[in-house]
Amino acid sequence: MDILILIGKTIVFYFFLIIVIRIMGKREVGNLSIFDLAVYFTISDLITMSIVDKKNPIYLPAISVAILVLLQVFLSHVSLRNKKIRDLLDGKKSIIINNGDIDFAEMKKQRYSLDDLFTQLRDKGFDSISNVKWAILETSGRLSVISYDESKSDYPDPIISDGVIDYQNLAQCKKTEQWLYNEICKSKISNIKKIKLAILIDDHLCFFL
């Protein structure tokens, strides 16, 4: 009888987990944020404990999982509309190689060694940093590498995102706030909030509304 209950719980939670993952949305495993990973691990533990524990009724972990999923979906929608919350939940990327120069201070801050850097560079097919313009440590821990040949922009991250100015990126581009507002005025955009994305290409801002 116990083995039948175990099999039954496993089958139920298998299909339940498929539904949960579909609700939470499609994201590549390597691109999961810290928040996503925390939710997945918690769901995994709840389901595992429910399957092996014969005393707890099956609906209790299902309720807990449902609450977690609703929280994840709600915060995902909020973070899509608010960059500050998105940065808080997902963290921020770190530029390890900045326009051809290794940022050792940022590497130390992220506890990212030269061995880590060169291992991931080799994994991307680079045997030297001489052709690497940008190497960005993403919030998922994956290293994105852009060569001089592939680079199309002056900076690999937006200056404006979802209507919010990223002053750190603006400073990295060696541009002033006054320069930014002049560029916006030239494009006859009345409100920064209307700008979904602004990136620097050939020393000019390209706007996407």
Side-chain angles (χ1 to χ4, degrees), residues 48-206:
T48 301
M49 287 188 293
S50 176
I51 290 174
V52 299
D53 191 343
K54 292 179 285 186
K55 295 180 180 178
N56 283 337
I58 195 170
Y59 65 86
L60 289 179
I63 292 172
S64 298
V65 170
I67 292 170
L68 280 173
V69 171
L70 288 173
L71 178 64
Q72 195 272 349
V73 171
F74 170 73
L75 289 176
S76 294
H77 282 295
V78 171
S79 66
L80 281 174
R81 292 169 173 78
N82 191 309
K83 190 176 186 303
K84 290 181 179 179
I85 293 177
R86 187 162 65 244
D87 289 342
L88 180 65
L89 292 175
D90 294 343
K92 297 188 73 174
K93 56 92 182 84
S94 299
I95 297 182
I96 302 301
I97 297 180
N98 190 343
N99 204 15
D101 296 324
I102 299 177
D103 190 335
F104 291 104
E106 186 63 26
M107 288 180 67
K108 183 177 180 181
K109 180 181 175 183
Q110 299 301 325
R111 297 184 295 280
Y112 192 76
S113 70
L114 283 171
D115 287 339
D116 294 329
L117 174 61
F118 279 92
T119 297
Q120 294 207 45
L121 285 177
R122 287 192 297 270
D123 186 56
K124 304 288 183 183
F126 293 88
D127 60 356
S128 169
I129 65 167
S130 60
N131 193 38
V132 177
K133 186 175 183 181
W134 310 102
I136 303 142
L137 189 62
E138 307 291 357
T139 56
S140 63
R142 182 175 58 88
L143 189 73
S144 298
V145 183
I146 304 169
S147 68
Y148 282 98
D149 298 331
E150 297 170 329
S151 180
K152 303 297 181 185
S153 65
D154 296 341
Y155 192 72
D157 217 32
I159 291 178
I160 298 176
S161 178
D162 294 328
V164 178
I165 300 170
D166 193 315
Y167 291 99
Q168 183 179 349
N169 289 348
L170 185 65
Q172 287 284 348
C173 293
K174 299 179 180 178
K175 301 295 183 182
T176 64
E177 193 173 346
Q178 184 60 53
W179 172 88
L180 176 61
Y181 284 113
N182 289 340
E183 290 291 306
I184 294 171
C185 288
K186 287 178 189 176
S187 300
K188 298 179 180 179
I189 299 171
S190 58
N191 192 339
I192 292 178
K193 296 295 182 184
K194 294 180 179 179
I195 303 171
K196 292 292 183 185
L197 179 69
I199 55 177
L200 187 65
I201 299 177
D202 295 330
D203 209 39
H204 293 287
L205 273 183
C206 293

Side-chain angles (χ1 to χ4, degrees), residues 15-74:
F15 289 105
F16 180 63
L17 192 57
I18 289 174
I19 294 169
V20 164
I21 293 172
R22 291 293 297 273
I23 292 172
M24 290 174 67
K26 299 176 182 177
R27 291 189 74 174
E28 188 179 335
V29 174
N31 291 329
L32 293 177
S33 67
I34 294 172
F35 179 68
D36 290 329
L37 286 172
V39 170
Y40 279 120
F41 284 139
T42 306
I43 288 174
S44 174
D45 285 343
L46 285 169
I47 290 176
T48 301
M49 287 188 293
S50 176
I51 290 174
V52 299
D53 191 343
K54 292 179 285 186
K55 295 180 180 178
N56 283 337
I58 195 170
Y59 65 86
L60 289 179
I63 292 172
S64 298
V65 170
I67 292 170
L68 280 173
V69 171
L70 288 173
L71 178 64
Q72 195 272 349
V73 171
F74 170 73

